[in-house]
């Protein structure tokens, strides 16, 4: 039963695997390794803890960037937090005024720091004022958990997330580049927003997430199936996939490129980048009296040459 208030409900409905014999291989789940590769150190790369603390805003605890404000007693805070404290120093409560801490800004300009994603493998050292831009694009920045049925806040690299999906979310894990699932739901007319259990496929040395769910497209109840790639977008473009549903002598086929899990599940779904089936058509494909959803979805993943 769907919730009237939530955007979608995690119904934890498992797709039926039509031919399980093809998917019995055990996935080799890599462990999440936090060891950091040794990096070539620069002479000024080591920054004392005291200097880093000076550059930490006492309100938001983030690194400060110009203009850095200070009170008459020399206490500093970032420009973003200045309006939040109503022009009062959060340390001594004196009026802040418009004093700018040029000395601290110059100290920051002389620093070179490691990327904050060092524990995920980044060994780069960056000037203080370039570090933020790098981190927003760092290839080693962690991924969000791709599980769609709940607001999971877990982040990590791909091997860690694969283990997390398997152990914590109990998702279906399969090996191979082809699949044949059947999604079943009684009383489908009562379900407007629902998510079936995520399925993860291992093939070509990569991992792919198959999503299937019901939602409202305008006023029309529809189902959507789509594939996401567990990696970055530039790698995702090396693969393609097809999805097919059918019954009663008819079929629908979708072909596309899997989206990176850098794009959220909701972003992909709301861009309609997948196989969309109206509910009436899905029930027609299901056969019988059209009162129960029995939708068979077959698909294939391949590497582009």
């Amino acid at each position: 039963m769907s919730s009237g208030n939530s955007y979608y409900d995690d119904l934890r409905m498992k797709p039926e695997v039509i031919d399980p014999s093809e998917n019995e291989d055990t996935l080799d789940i890599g462990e999440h390794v936090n060891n950091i590769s040794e990096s070539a150190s620069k002479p000024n790369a080591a920054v004392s803890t005291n200097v880093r603390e000076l550059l930490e805003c006492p309100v938001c605890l983030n690194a400060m960037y110009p203009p850095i404000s200070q009170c008459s007693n020399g206490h500093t805070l970032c420009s973003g937090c200045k309006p939040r404290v109503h022009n009062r120093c959060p340390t001594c409560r004196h009026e802040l005024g418009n004093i700018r801490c040029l000395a601290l800004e110059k100290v920051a300009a002389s620093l070179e720091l490691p990327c904050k994603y060092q524990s995920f493998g980044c060994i780069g050292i960056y000037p203080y004022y370039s570090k933020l831009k790098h981190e927003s694009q760092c290839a080693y920045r962690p991924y969000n958990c791709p599980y769609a049925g709940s607001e999971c806040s877990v982040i990590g690299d791909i091997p860690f997330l694969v283990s997390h999906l398997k152990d914590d979310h109990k998702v279906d894990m399969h090996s191979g580049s082809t699949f044949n699932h059947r999604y079943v739901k009684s009383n489908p007319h009562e379900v407007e927003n629902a998510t079936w259990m995520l399925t993860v496929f291992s093939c070509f040395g990569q991992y792919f997430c198959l999503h299937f769910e019901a939602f409202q497209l305008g006023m029309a109840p529809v189902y959507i199936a789509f594939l996401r790639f567990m990696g970055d977008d530039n790698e995702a473009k090396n693969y393609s996939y097809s999805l097919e549903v059918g019954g009663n002598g008819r079929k629908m086929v979708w072909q596309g490129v899997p989206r990176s899990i850098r794009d959220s599940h909701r972003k992909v779904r709301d861009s309609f980048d997948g196989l969309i089936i109206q509910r009436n058509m899905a029930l027609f494909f299901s056969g019988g009296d059209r009162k129960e959803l029995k939708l068979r979805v077959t698909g294939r993943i391949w590497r582009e040459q």
Side-chain angles (χ1 to χ4, degrees), residues 143-144 146 211 226 228-229 231 233 258-269 271 273:
Y143 299 88
N144 294 317
H211 297 265
F226 57 88
R228 286 201 292 165
F229 174 76
D233 186 60
R259 296 279 287 272
S260 165
I261 60 171
R262 295 284 188 204
D263 290 336
S264 70
H265 152 268
R266 183 174 296 184
K267 180 178 179 180
V268 179
R269 187 197 63 188
S271 66
D273 193 2

Side-chain angles (χ1 to χ4, degrees), residues 6-55:
S6 62
Y7 196 67
Y8 53 80
D9 295 328
D10 177 14
L11 300 186
R12 299 190 67 81
M13 296 177 285
K14 286 196 173 185
E16 176 184 346
V17 180
I18 301 300
D19 188 3
S21 63
E22 296 181 1
N23 296 300
E24 290 179 351
D25 294 339
T26 302
L27 291 177
D28 184 12
I29 308 299
E31 294 183 355
H32 186 211
V33 180
N34 285 321
N35 292 334
I36 305 169
S37 301
E38 288 190 12
S39 59
S41 59
K42 296 186 178 182
N44 57 351
V47 181
S48 72
T49 302
N50 288 338
V51 175
R52 293 198 191 193
E53 289 177 352
L54 284 175
L55 290 166

Side-chain angles (χ1 to χ4, degrees), residues 24-278:
E24 290 179 351
D25 294 339
T26 302
L27 291 177
D28 184 12
I29 308 299
E31 294 183 355
H32 186 211
V33 180
N34 285 321
N35 292 334
I36 305 169
S37 301
E38 288 190 12
S39 59
S41 59
K42 296 186 178 182
N44 57 351
V47 181
S48 72
T49 302
N50 288 338
V51 175
R52 293 198 191 193
E53 289 177 352
L54 284 175
L55 290 166
E56 183 180 274
C57 174
V59 178
C60 66
L61 305 182
N62 292 324
M64 294 187 289
Y65 294 90
I68 298 175
S69 298
Q70 73 171 31
C71 73
S72 57
N73 289 326
H75 303 126
T76 57
L77 79 163
C78 72
S79 58
C81 287
K82 186 178 178 182
R84 296 170 55 189
V85 298
H86 306 292
N87 206 38
R88 289 284 175 183
C89 174
T91 304
C92 67
R93 307 305 299 167
H94 281 198
E95 186 174 347
L96 285 172
N98 293 309
I99 307 174
R100 183 169 171 178
C101 190
L102 296 176
L104 190 56
E105 291 178 11
K106 288 181 179 180
V107 170
S110 69
L111 301 181
E112 290 187 327
L113 301 174
C115 173
K116 73 175 181 179
Y117 300 125
Q118 188 181 61
S119 62
F120 291 95
C122 183
I123 61 174
I125 303 294
Y126 300 92
Y128 185 83
Y129 291 136
S130 302
K131 180 173 173 283
L132 201 61
K133 181 178 180 181
H134 159 77
E135 290 171 347
S136 69
Q137 304 169 347
C138 180
Y140 292 94
R141 68 192 190 278
Y143 299 88
N144 294 317
C145 173
Y147 192 74
S150 62
E151 297 299 326
C152 182
S153 60
V154 169
I155 62 172
D157 59 18
I158 298 304
F160 174 77
L161 287 181
V162 170
S163 296
H164 165 69
L165 289 170
K166 178 183 178 183
D167 298 335
D168 298 329
H169 292 299
K170 311 299 182 185
V171 305
D172 290 331
M173 312 290 294
H174 299 288
S175 296
S177 59
T178 61
F179 48 90
N180 191 346
H181 282 14
R182 187 169 62 171
Y183 295 92
V184 179
K185 183 68 179 76
S186 59
N187 303 318
H189 291 281
E190 298 179 7
V191 179
E192 294 182 353
N193 295 284
T195 296
W196 273 254
M197 178 66 80
L198 179 71
T199 305
V200 175
F201 296 94
S202 171
C203 55
F204 307 110
Q206 307 289 349
Y207 293 95
F208 300 82
C209 299
L210 177 63
H211 297 265
F212 183 80
E213 65 181 85
F215 74 108
Q216 290 287 125
L217 181 55
M219 298 297 293
V222 300
Y223 298 96
I224 185 171
F226 57 88
L227 201 70
R228 286 201 292 165
F229 174 76
M230 294 188 70
D232 283 337
D233 186 60
N234 61 329
E235 297 177 88
K237 292 176 181 177
N238 296 325
Y239 301 91
S240 295
Y241 73 103
S242 63
L243 297 173
E244 180 178 313
V245 295
N248 291 325
R250 282 88 168 171
K251 68 178 180 180
M252 296 174 63
V253 179
W254 161 268
Q255 181 173 319
V257 176
R259 296 279 287 272
S260 165
I261 60 171
R262 295 284 188 204
D263 290 336
S264 70
H265 152 268
R266 183 174 296 184
K267 180 178 179 180
V268 179
R269 187 197 63 188
D270 291 350
S271 66
F272 316 128
D273 193 2
L275 175 63
I276 297 177
I277 314 111
Q278 291 187 350

